[in-house]
Amino acid sequence: APQGGNPSSVSSSSSDASLTSVPAPTVTVSTVVASPTVSSDATLPSQIPDPPAQSWCTSQIFCAGPTVNVAGLYADPKTFVDKPTSASAQSVLANFKNLTNSSSSLTESQLVNFVDSKFGGEGTELEGLPIPDFNPSPSFLQNVTDPLVRAWSGVVHGYWTQLIRGTNQSALCSEGDAGPKCESTLIPLNHTFVVPGGRFREQYYWDSYWIVQGLIKSELFDLVNATLQNFMDELETIGFIPNGGRIYYLNRSQPPLFINMLADYVSATNDTAILDRALPLAERELTWWQDNRTVNVTSPFTNQTYAVARYAAANTAPRPESYLTVCLR
Ligand SMILES: OC[C@H]1O[C@H](O[C@H]2O[C@H](CO)[C@@H](O)[C@H](O)[C@H]2O)[C@H](O)[C@@H](O)[C@@H]1O
């Protein structure tokens, strides 16, 4: 949903013939324009120390280094960190340095101009995708007896068409022959995925567990498979499944529900072939939790020692996507 300011949209819609019985989806990917709460000639607070560098996110634009987010340009600090640069990181950083060197007191409007000229729309590395063979009337709907609830369930079922994303390969920041073209916080995924929506533009770990429950009811099994393939890719390349599909989530996890999603998918489809790849990776995830998130706790009452898994993050800086929210507390 738009989050303040006049929405500027990048839309994609489907004309897939199999969707003729439901309205073709129009997916708004990019939404927000700057809406600072102070006047445009207000100067930025000086002497704000840079967030300390974090080994799990070395981006000097989005995680460490001087941050644009001190200016509060957007109602939601996640907006800025979801904007890919439109030039190489090196040139964006040099430009920012010039700007701060040339003026002892940078103003809000100078910063708005800088961001508008050096960054693209948030989420533009993603694209809305149609659902091939979307069935507007899956069998679970026939079992809903109350006509009002059935109609409402049909509307909710239709929301899937708004939430399907892929990595927009043509907008992806990657190092080509001529060097890096841009920098982005997106963790690119090879397969289609389902997003929670609104400011949550990427795949999330435990949201996907609930999403999978719904996709199975909606008979969208290929999307469940794609969700699992993305998580398996992450287990292979990252070693665990991060909180969400952005680099600023790389030190956080969510409840490890991959194995539950896998079990639900296999029960619903009998696609046991997936297990060849999935089971060793499920083991790898368990080992990661044992090695990285498990502590021994001894009961003062029984003197028994238990291995307890818990959430933890090695972090000494504000969360990039919640920068001012944390700093103003
Ligand atoms: O629906 C996605 C997730 O939304 C919330 O958490 C996310 O936003 C928080 C603030 O930016 C951030 O700290 C957290 O790491 C993100 O996952 C919600 O709390 C989650 O339960 C949910 O998965």
Side-chain angles (χ1 to χ4, degrees):
Q3 299 148 2
N6 296 320
S8 82
S9 313
V10 175
S11 297
S12 66
S13 60
S14 160
S15 56
D16 190 317
S18 62
L19 293 175
T20 46
S21 50
V22 286
T26 298
V27 178
T28 299
V29 175
S30 175
T31 53
V32 185
V33 294
S35 55
T37 51
V38 296
S39 71
S40 60
D41 58 358
T43 53
L44 298 191
S46 57
Q47 310 290 320
I48 294 190
D50 294 343
Q54 307 294 308
S55 60
W56 49 269
C57 183
T58 52
S59 166
Q60 287 194 39
I61 295 176
F62 297 112
C63 292
T67 177
V68 164
N69 258 338
V70 295
L73 298 188
Y74 306 99
D76 179 356
K78 189 172 183 300
T79 303
F80 173 67
V81 290
D82 290 357
K83 282 175 167 292
T85 66
S86 50
S88 74
Q90 207 183 17
S91 93
V92 171
L93 286 167
N95 217 275
F96 188 72
K97 205 167 172 202
N98 281 346
L99 201 61
T100 43
N101 284 348
S102 64
S103 152
S104 55
S105 46
L106 196 59
T107 64
E108 289 276 333
S109 71
Q110 281 177 304
L111 200 57
V112 169
N113 290 340
F114 167 74
V115 173
D116 284 349
S117 65
K118 296 290 168 196
F119 292 81
E122 64 283 1
T124 44
E125 330 88 314
L126 303 167
E127 59 185 353
L129 295 177
I131 306 175
D133 306 323
F134 181 77
N135 177 1
S137 191
S139 62
F140 87 89
L141 279 179
Q142 319 317 317
N143 299 328
V144 182
T145 45
D146 184 296
L148 189 60
V149 177
R150 191 184 319 128
W152 174 79
S153 305
V155 170
V156 173
H157 170 68
Y159 289 161
W160 291 126
T161 62
Q162 302 298 305
L163 298 171
I164 311 306
R165 299 288 182 274
T167 303
N168 182 353
Q169 295 295 336
S170 63
L172 205 55
C173 295
S174 57
E175 295 191 25
D177 293 341
K181 291 186 199 70
C182 59
E183 184 169 320
S184 150
T185 55
L186 185 78
I187 300 173
L189 297 177
N190 291 325
H191 303 271
T192 305
F193 50 96
V194 185
V195 297
R199 70 195 287 265
F200 299 113
R201 314 176 166 89
E202 45 288 309
Q203 185 174 47
Y204 280 79
Y205 189 5
W206 88 317
D207 296 63
S208 297
Y209 171 76
W210 309 105
I211 286 168
V212 159
Q213 306 304 304
L215 290 174
I216 289 173
K217 284 269 180 237
S218 290
E219 298 163 17
L220 294 167
F221 304 114
D222 287 352
L223 285 170
V224 182
N225 185 294
T227 299
L228 294 170
Q229 298 297 339
N230 283 325
F231 286 146
M232 289 190 274
D233 290 347
E234 292 192 326
L235 284 167
E236 264 172 7
T237 56
I238 303 172
F240 74 106
I241 298 173
N243 178 146
R246 296 266 169 191
I247 57 172
Y248 50 74
Y249 287 135
L250 280 173
N251 71 333
R252 295 176 234 169
S253 182
Q254 289 193 322
L257 292 167
F258 171 74
I259 192 82
N260 304 67
M261 290 184 239
L262 180 66
D264 292 338
Y265 169 72
V266 173
S267 300
T269 61
N270 205 26
D271 175 13
T272 51
I274 197 173
L275 296 174
D276 288 346
R277 182 177 184 214
L279 286 182
L281 290 169
E283 291 267 5
R284 193 182 297 183
E285 180 179 46
L286 180 61
T287 305
W288 184 89
W289 276 81
Q290 283 169 334
D291 292 348
N292 296 282
R293 292 290 184 270
T294 305
V295 288
N296 287 332
V297 176
T298 304
S299 163
F301 305 105
T302 63
N303 218 28
Q304 291 251 35
T305 298
Y306 301 90
V308 178
R310 89 288 194 227
Y311 306 111
N315 188 26
T316 56
R319 288 165 297 162
E321 89 291 358
S322 303
Y323 189 79
L324 274 192
T325 327
V326 173
C327 290
L328 295 179
R329 234 183 236 154

